[in-house]
Amino acid sequence: MNKTETVENKLTDLKKTLAYYETFSCVQCGYCLPACPTYQTMGKETHSPRGRINLVKMTAEGKLTNLNLLADSIDKCLGCRACETACPTGVRYGKIYESAKSLLHLREEESSPSKGWKNILLHSVIPNKKRLNRLANFVWFYQKSGLQKIARHSGFLRLLPNHLGEFEALLPTLPSPVERAKRPVRFPAQGKPKYRVAFFTGCVMDAIFEKINRLSMQLLQKAGCEVVMIEGETCCGALHAHTGDLETAKQLAKQNITAFEQAANREPLDFIVNNAGGCGAMLIEYDHLFRGDPEWEPRARTFVEKTRDISQVLTMTGPLPIVKQTNQKKEVVTYQRSCHMTNVQKVTKEPLQLIRSIPGIELREMENPDKCCGSAGIYNIVNYNESMDILDDKMSTVKNTGATTIITTNPGCLLQMKMGIIREGLQDKVRAVHLVELLAEACGIEI
Ligand code: SF4
Ligand code: SF4
């Protein structure tokens, strides 16, 4: 069967393509509605978890034939999976959502196998470390050469589509190509070695937030871990899975599983550590991606069993060697949880424990701390207005805490919080940091 026939079959056999039988677990109770950010801001049943499940069911049964109605509802979903955590009957909304995204992706592929910016980014840049590095080096040149100043003052950035000019203001200062190339591939443990860990550098995380990756490795090192980098690893596939391209997500997952297997054959590895809530959620669901596949499901399960968020490992290694003085002025902080870390990885206590272990820090929780900030992969770019409505709600709860530091555990949330700070005009009063940056500061690590 050729590719076109396979796509046609999938578009016809909707009960199979969509997670139809999963939809029966929903008893329509509505307990998930208060947890859903899009229902709360848009106020429409079709933009609630219950409404979306119904639309998927109706599409699978052939009762809804206009796929544009399904697309309008599903494309506005953040995929934050707060509804899963709120659901008393254990509906696996993630499966239903993913199946609908996959159907919509197939339809898009069939009608216009376009090579727009999204396609180029997802298929030609993100999975390719060399191209990502070249892009990062170009951004470094843009920042250092004065081009950035010209672009900002000339008004050119305002001409960019999808509000990309506003996102440009959020970019951190990138390391030079020389600094990037000098990063060691192995960080020996300091003090008594406790674990040997493989560090999952990711794609965007390593290109744009390389400093946070480097701080993560140095923190792990200080905590007694030997850290090794893995040749051949690639993007986790989360962005592809969330846009419905499960085939590419599987290819990337296979590449990662293979790379880590080869590394584990050379020397024993205790954990595979990541520092991005969204990537970690994808990595720990690799076994779901290959369900029923006799070769890849067991290999994926071994990978999943080793996967940990950095906060989990740093709480296992014992107290961090903190050097921050307690007589410094008290810093009020608040913690914006990553949805995928909370609702998929279920890592909730460890970041709080680490924040509370820093002297001179007062943690003030915001109202609804579990609610998504509206970042959600590239949701804030493709659904800018909806995302900003969700962000504005989030920022009002942040402001009520009086915090001067917002802590996050995911690159997308970090950029979104920076955007929120700019929208509120708080640039001189509030900063947004990754948890790793805060811990590194407390341990006196500087790069
Ligand atoms: S998804 Fe769960 S909480 Fe939401 S309506 Fe269905 S059963 Fe109720
Ligand atoms: S994943 Fe998030 S945005 Fe989507 S339906 Fe569930 S709670 Fe709402």
Side-chain angles (χ1 to χ4, degrees), residues 21-93:
Y21 296 100
E22 291 283 344
T23 64
F24 286 93
S25 325
C26 175
V27 295
Q28 307 286 303
C29 65
Y31 283 162
C32 53
L33 302 189
C36 175
T38 56
Y39 180 70
Q40 292 301 315
T41 49
M42 298 172 200
K44 287 191 206 164
E45 177 69 13
T46 48
H47 293 69
S48 75
R50 183 175 63 187
R52 290 181 174 121
I53 292 168
N54 270 334
L55 289 175
V56 168
K57 193 185 219 170
M58 286 166 67
T59 307
E61 289 170 349
K63 291 176 186 156
L64 179 76
T65 50
N66 183 354
L67 286 188
N68 291 334
L69 294 177
L70 180 71
D72 178 54
S73 164
I74 292 293
D75 289 346
K76 294 285 184 313
C77 173
L78 295 150
C80 68
R81 291 168 65 174
C83 44
E84 270 189 24
T85 302
C87 178
T89 64
V91 172
R92 297 195 302 174
Y93 177 81

Side-chain angles (χ1 to χ4, degrees), residues 179-199:
E179 287 171 280
R180 207 177 268 279
K182 273 199 317 206
R183 187 172 73 189
V185 292
R186 184 176 293 270
F187 291 73
Q190 288 180 7
K192 188 170 168 265
K194 293 172 185 154
Y195 301 111
R196 182 183 295 123
V197 303
F199 191 80

